[in-house]
Amino acid sequence: GAVVSQHPSRVICKSGTSVKIECRSLDFQATTMFWYRQFPKQSLMLMATSNEGSKATYEQGVEKDKFLINHASLTLSTLTVTSAHPEDSSFYICSARATGRRGSSPLHFGNGTRLTVT
Amino acid sequence: EDQVTQSPEALRLQEGESSSLNCSYTVSGLRGLFWYRQDPGKGPEFLFTLYSAGEEKEKERLKATLTKKESFLHITAPKPEDSATYLCAVQRETSGSRLTFGEGTQLTVNP
């Protein structure tokens, strides 16, 4: 149980284009999902908290107009990297916790999306 | 500000050579400390949650312990398939589900 599916696993795009990454909770509902970014040999940095039916909450320093988050249902959140540049190349990972579980229940992570902007 | 420091950064072991990974943390009001395993190009895989000092949890060759300042992940008689990056994360009582991660320890177990 508690499977989080992320798609695509890899994407290469040209500078200036936009890329959408999907995060789905397959066997549970998730009111809240989280989007992380990870650079090589570094830890996960929280980018934003995605809330079903409302606006996402972004961490300090993360441009909300560049990283658009939509959480339209209890099982799907999307991250769109708009007008991508080479410095946006990174490993993006989503996570979720089952709705109704207590606050200290573990987050379950997707397998990440490797974005390369050329 | 919450801080999580993991050591060592990298660790090489021979198969069967037991060792421990350290996670030192500073957090105001710990709700939980989490250990994850991450394989290259994959998302983190949940291992353990520890809630209070003195708590211990085991899973196969892994045992996690917690004090008020640090957590240890003990690996007994490791196998090559235990090679991965091990991440420690803390959750504050007032931060909802947000986690603060350490930099990780990259473990390599040689056959």
PDB file of all heavy atoms in Angstrom, chain B residues 51-70:
ATOM      1  N   TYR B  51       9.776   8.236  17.579  1.00  0.00           N
ATOM      2  CA  TYR B  51       9.019   9.344  18.143  1.00  0.00           C
ATOM      3  C   TYR B  51       9.611   9.920  19.415  1.00  0.00           C
ATOM      4  O   TYR B  51       9.429  11.109  19.701  1.00  0.00           O
ATOM      5  CB  TYR B  51       7.577   8.904  18.421  1.00  0.00           C
ATOM      6  CG  TYR B  51       6.818   8.475  17.189  1.00  0.00           C
ATOM      7  CD1 TYR B  51       6.591   7.129  16.919  1.00  0.00           C
ATOM      8  CD2 TYR B  51       6.343   9.416  16.290  1.00  0.00           C
ATOM      9  CE1 TYR B  51       5.903   6.742  15.777  1.00  0.00           C
ATOM     10  CE2 TYR B  51       5.637   9.030  15.155  1.00  0.00           C
ATOM     11  CZ  TYR B  51       5.429   7.695  14.907  1.00  0.00           C
ATOM     12  OH  TYR B  51       4.745   7.319  13.785  1.00  0.00           O
ATOM     13  N   SER B  52      10.284   9.073  20.217  1.00  0.00           N
ATOM     14  CA  SER B  52      10.762   9.575  21.497  1.00  0.00           C
ATOM     15  C   SER B  52      12.089   8.931  21.860  1.00  0.00           C
ATOM     16  O   SER B  52      12.408   7.810  21.413  1.00  0.00           O
ATOM     17  CB  SER B  52       9.729   9.301  22.594  1.00  0.00           C
ATOM     18  OG  SER B  52       9.442   7.918  22.678  1.00  0.00           O
ATOM     19  N   ALA B  53      12.853   9.655  22.674  1.00  0.00           N
ATOM     20  CA  ALA B  53      14.165   9.182  23.100  1.00  0.00           C
ATOM     21  C   ALA B  53      14.053   7.815  23.758  1.00  0.00           C
ATOM     22  O   ALA B  53      13.146   7.580  24.555  1.00  0.00           O
ATOM     23  CB  ALA B  53      14.797  10.188  24.057  1.00  0.00           C
ATOM     24  N   GLY B  54      14.971   6.932  23.398  1.00  0.00           N
ATOM     25  CA  GLY B  54      14.971   5.582  23.947  1.00  0.00           C
ATOM     26  C   GLY B  54      14.279   4.563  23.049  1.00  0.00           C
ATOM     27  O   GLY B  54      14.415   3.361  23.234  1.00  0.00           O
ATOM     28  N   GLU B  55      13.576   5.056  22.050  1.00  0.00           N
ATOM     29  CA  GLU B  55      12.861   4.152  21.163  1.00  0.00           C
ATOM     30  C   GLU B  55      13.822   3.484  20.186  1.00  0.00           C
ATOM     31  O   GLU B  55      14.801   4.074  19.750  1.00  0.00           O
ATOM     32  CB  GLU B  55      11.795   4.927  20.396  1.00  0.00           C
ATOM     33  CG  GLU B  55      10.848   4.056  19.586  1.00  0.00           C
ATOM     34  CD  GLU B  55       9.722   4.858  18.951  1.00  0.00           C
ATOM     35  OE1 GLU B  55       9.718   6.103  19.109  1.00  0.00           O
ATOM     36  OE2 GLU B  55       8.871   4.254  18.286  1.00  0.00           O
ATOM     37  N   GLU B  56      13.543   2.231  19.872  1.00  0.00           N
ATOM     38  CA  GLU B  56      14.334   1.482  18.906  1.00  0.00           C
ATOM     39  C   GLU B  56      13.391   0.752  17.959  1.00  0.00           C
ATOM     40  O   GLU B  56      12.317   0.307  18.367  1.00  0.00           O
ATOM     41  CB  GLU B  56      15.230   0.442  19.589  1.00  0.00           C
ATOM     42  CG  GLU B  56      16.265   1.002  20.531  1.00  0.00           C
ATOM     43  CD  GLU B  56      17.149  -0.079  21.124  1.00  0.00           C
ATOM     44  OE1 GLU B  56      16.889  -1.274  20.890  1.00  0.00           O
ATOM     45  OE2 GLU B  56      18.117   0.273  21.828  1.00  0.00           O
ATOM     46  N   LYS B  57      13.825   0.621  16.694  1.00  0.00           N
ATOM     47  CA  LYS B  57      13.047  -0.152  15.732  1.00  0.00           C
ATOM     48  C   LYS B  57      13.995  -0.952  14.862  1.00  0.00           C
ATOM     49  O   LYS B  57      15.098  -0.504  14.553  1.00  0.00           O
ATOM     50  CB  LYS B  57      12.165   0.764  14.883  1.00  0.00           C
ATOM     51  CG  LYS B  57      11.010   1.348  15.667  1.00  0.00           C
ATOM     52  CD  LYS B  57       9.926   1.902  14.791  1.00  0.00           C
ATOM     53  CE  LYS B  57       8.761   2.371  15.651  1.00  0.00           C
ATOM     54  NZ  LYS B  57       7.790   3.158  14.873  1.00  0.00           N
ATOM     55  N   GLU B  58      13.550  -2.133  14.484  1.00  0.00           N
ATOM     56  CA  GLU B  58      14.388  -3.025  13.691  1.00  0.00           C
ATOM     57  C   GLU B  58      13.663  -3.514  12.464  1.00  0.00           C
ATOM     58  O   GLU B  58      12.433  -3.697  12.455  1.00  0.00           O
ATOM     59  CB  GLU B  58      14.790  -4.263  14.522  1.00  0.00           C
ATOM     60  CG  GLU B  58      15.859  -4.017  15.538  1.00  0.00           C
ATOM     61  CD  GLU B  58      16.347  -5.304  16.177  1.00  0.00           C
ATOM     62  OE1 GLU B  58      17.043  -6.076  15.500  1.00  0.00           O
ATOM     63  OE2 GLU B  58      16.015  -5.530  17.351  1.00  0.00           O
ATOM     64  N   LYS B  59      14.470  -3.729  11.427  1.00  0.00           N
ATOM     65  CA  LYS B  59      13.939  -4.316  10.197  1.00  0.00           C
ATOM     66  C   LYS B  59      15.092  -5.025   9.509  1.00  0.00           C
ATOM     67  O   LYS B  59      16.024  -4.372   9.042  1.00  0.00           O
ATOM     68  CB  LYS B  59      13.358  -3.235   9.293  1.00  0.00           C
ATOM     69  CG  LYS B  59      12.801  -3.746   7.977  1.00  0.00           C
ATOM     70  CD  LYS B  59      12.262  -2.574   7.158  1.00  0.00           C
ATOM     71  CE  LYS B  59      11.738  -3.036   5.812  1.00  0.00           C
ATOM     72  NZ  LYS B  59      11.241  -1.902   5.003  1.00  0.00           N
ATOM     73  N   GLU B  60      15.037  -6.327   9.506  1.00  0.00           N
ATOM     74  CA  GLU B  60      16.085  -7.159   8.909  1.00  0.00           C
ATOM     75  C   GLU B  60      17.445  -6.776   9.514  1.00  0.00           C
ATOM     76  O   GLU B  60      17.645  -6.916  10.710  1.00  0.00           O
ATOM     77  CB  GLU B  60      16.066  -7.021   7.387  1.00  0.00           C
ATOM     78  CG  GLU B  60      14.777  -7.539   6.767  1.00  0.00           C
ATOM     79  CD  GLU B  60      14.741  -7.408   5.257  1.00  0.00           C
ATOM     80  OE1 GLU B  60      15.665  -6.822   4.669  1.00  0.00           O
ATOM     81  OE2 GLU B  60      13.779  -7.907   4.662  1.00  0.00           O
ATOM     82  N   ARG B  61      18.367  -6.283   8.716  1.00  0.00           N
ATOM     83  CA  ARG B  61      19.716  -6.004   9.215  1.00  0.00           C
ATOM     84  C   ARG B  61      19.847  -4.590   9.769  1.00  0.00           C
ATOM     85  O   ARG B  61      20.947  -4.186  10.193  1.00  0.00           O
ATOM     86  CB  ARG B  61      20.729  -6.195   8.067  1.00  0.00           C
ATOM     87  CG  ARG B  61      20.831  -7.649   7.602  1.00  0.00           C
ATOM     88  CD  ARG B  61      21.806  -7.779   6.451  1.00  0.00           C
ATOM     89  NE  ARG B  61      21.319  -7.133   5.233  1.00  0.00           N
ATOM     90  CZ  ARG B  61      20.402  -7.667   4.430  1.00  0.00           C
ATOM     91  NH1 ARG B  61      19.879  -8.841   4.710  1.00  0.00           N
ATOM     92  NH2 ARG B  61      20.016  -7.026   3.346  1.00  0.00           N
ATOM     93  N   LEU B  62      18.775  -3.847   9.785  1.00  0.00           N
ATOM     94  CA  LEU B  62      18.812  -2.452  10.220  1.00  0.00           C
ATOM     95  C   LEU B  62      18.139  -2.273  11.575  1.00  0.00           C
ATOM     96  O   LEU B  62      17.091  -2.875  11.834  1.00  0.00           O
ATOM     97  CB  LEU B  62      18.112  -1.558   9.196  1.00  0.00           C
ATOM     98  CG  LEU B  62      18.678  -1.553   7.780  1.00  0.00           C
ATOM     99  CD1 LEU B  62      17.800  -0.687   6.879  1.00  0.00           C
ATOM    100  CD2 LEU B  62      20.107  -1.054   7.765  1.00  0.00           C
ATOM    101  N   LYS B  63      18.764  -1.431  12.408  1.00  0.00           N
ATOM    102  CA  LYS B  63      18.142  -1.047  13.666  1.00  0.00           C
ATOM    103  C   LYS B  63      18.359   0.439  13.863  1.00  0.00           C
ATOM    104  O   LYS B  63      19.488   0.930  13.759  1.00  0.00           O
ATOM    105  CB  LYS B  63      18.726  -1.811  14.855  1.00  0.00           C
ATOM    106  CG  LYS B  63      18.038  -1.458  16.170  1.00  0.00           C
ATOM    107  CD  LYS B  63      18.402  -2.404  17.301  1.00  0.00           C
ATOM    108  CE  LYS B  63      19.642  -1.972  18.026  1.00  0.00           C
ATOM    109  NZ  LYS B  63      19.872  -2.773  19.255  1.00  0.00           N
ATOM    110  N   ALA B  64      17.279   1.153  14.160  1.00  0.00           N
ATOM    111  CA  ALA B  64      17.355   2.593  14.382  1.00  0.00           C
ATOM    112  C   ALA B  64      17.097   2.892  15.848  1.00  0.00           C
ATOM    113  O   ALA B  64      16.215   2.294  16.469  1.00  0.00           O
ATOM    114  CB  ALA B  64      16.337   3.323  13.515  1.00  0.00           C
ATOM    115  N   THR B  65      17.897   3.816  16.393  1.00  0.00           N
ATOM    116  CA  THR B  65      17.739   4.231  17.780  1.00  0.00           C
ATOM    117  C   THR B  65      17.662   5.743  17.843  1.00  0.00           C
ATOM    118  O   THR B  65      18.099   6.441  16.920  1.00  0.00           O
ATOM    119  CB  THR B  65      18.906   3.730  18.644  1.00  0.00           C
ATOM    120  OG1 THR B  65      20.132   4.309  18.152  1.00  0.00           O
ATOM    121  CG2 THR B  65      19.022   2.216  18.602  1.00  0.00           C
ATOM    122  N   LEU B  66      17.116   6.250  18.956  1.00  0.00           N
ATOM    123  CA  LEU B  66      16.907   7.689  19.079  1.00  0.00           C
ATOM    124  C   LEU B  66      17.250   8.168  20.485  1.00  0.00           C
ATOM    125  O   LEU B  66      16.860   7.538  21.481  1.00  0.00           O
ATOM    126  CB  LEU B  66      15.445   8.041  18.776  1.00  0.00           C
ATOM    127  CG  LEU B  66      15.069   9.522  18.832  1.00  0.00           C
ATOM    128  CD1 LEU B  66      15.776  10.316  17.728  1.00  0.00           C
ATOM    129  CD2 LEU B  66      13.553   9.702  18.718  1.00  0.00           C
ATOM    130  N   THR B  67      18.002   9.286  20.541  1.00  0.00           N
ATOM    131  CA  THR B  67      18.203  10.006  21.791  1.00  0.00           C
ATOM    132  C   THR B  67      17.646  11.410  21.599  1.00  0.00           C
ATOM    133  O   THR B  67      17.093  11.711  20.535  1.00  0.00           O
ATOM    134  CB  THR B  67      19.693  10.093  22.179  1.00  0.00           C
ATOM    135  OG1 THR B  67      20.350  11.023  21.292  1.00  0.00           O
ATOM    136  CG2 THR B  67      20.369   8.729  22.087  1.00  0.00           C
ATOM    137  N   LYS B  68      17.838  12.266  22.591  1.00  0.00           N
ATOM    138  CA  LYS B  68      17.289  13.619  22.475  1.00  0.00           C
ATOM    139  C   LYS B  68      18.065  14.482  21.494  1.00  0.00           C
ATOM    140  O   LYS B  68      17.588  15.554  21.100  1.00  0.00           O
ATOM    141  CB  LYS B  68      17.256  14.293  23.845  1.00  0.00           C
ATOM    142  CG  LYS B  68      16.211  13.695  24.772  1.00  0.00           C
ATOM    143  CD  LYS B  68      16.101  14.480  26.070  1.00  0.00           C
ATOM    144  CE  LYS B  68      14.994  13.891  26.936  1.00  0.00           C
ATOM    145  NZ  LYS B  68      14.845  14.626  28.223  1.00  0.00           N
ATOM    146  N   LYS B  69      19.247  14.016  21.083  1.00  0.00           N
ATOM    147  CA  LYS B  69      20.060  14.833  20.193  1.00  0.00           C
ATOM    148  C   LYS B  69      20.421  14.148  18.880  1.00  0.00           C
ATOM    149  O   LYS B  69      20.851  14.809  17.930  1.00  0.00           O
ATOM    150  CB  LYS B  69      21.363  15.246  20.886  1.00  0.00           C
ATOM    151  CG  LYS B  69      21.176  16.145  22.075  1.00  0.00           C
ATOM    152  CD  LYS B  69      22.529  16.535  22.676  1.00  0.00           C
ATOM    153  CE  LYS B  69      22.369  17.464  23.866  1.00  0.00           C
ATOM    154  NZ  LYS B  69      23.686  17.830  24.461  1.00  0.00           N
ATOM    155  N   GLU B  70      20.314  12.815  18.852  1.00  0.00           N
ATOM    156  CA  GLU B  70      20.770  12.123  17.651  1.00  0.00           C
ATOM    157  C   GLU B  70      20.070  10.780  17.480  1.00  0.00           C
ATOM    158  O   GLU B  70      19.450  10.255  18.417  1.00  0.00           O
ATOM    159  CB  GLU B  70      22.284  11.928  17.679  1.00  0.00           C
ATOM    160  CG  GLU B  70      22.801  11.165  18.876  1.00  0.00           C
ATOM    161  CD  GLU B  70      24.315  11.221  19.017  1.00  0.00           C
ATOM    162  OE1 GLU B  70      25.015  11.696  18.087  1.00  0.00           O
ATOM    163  OE2 GLU B  70      24.822  10.781  20.055  1.00  0.00           O
TER     164      GLU B  70
END
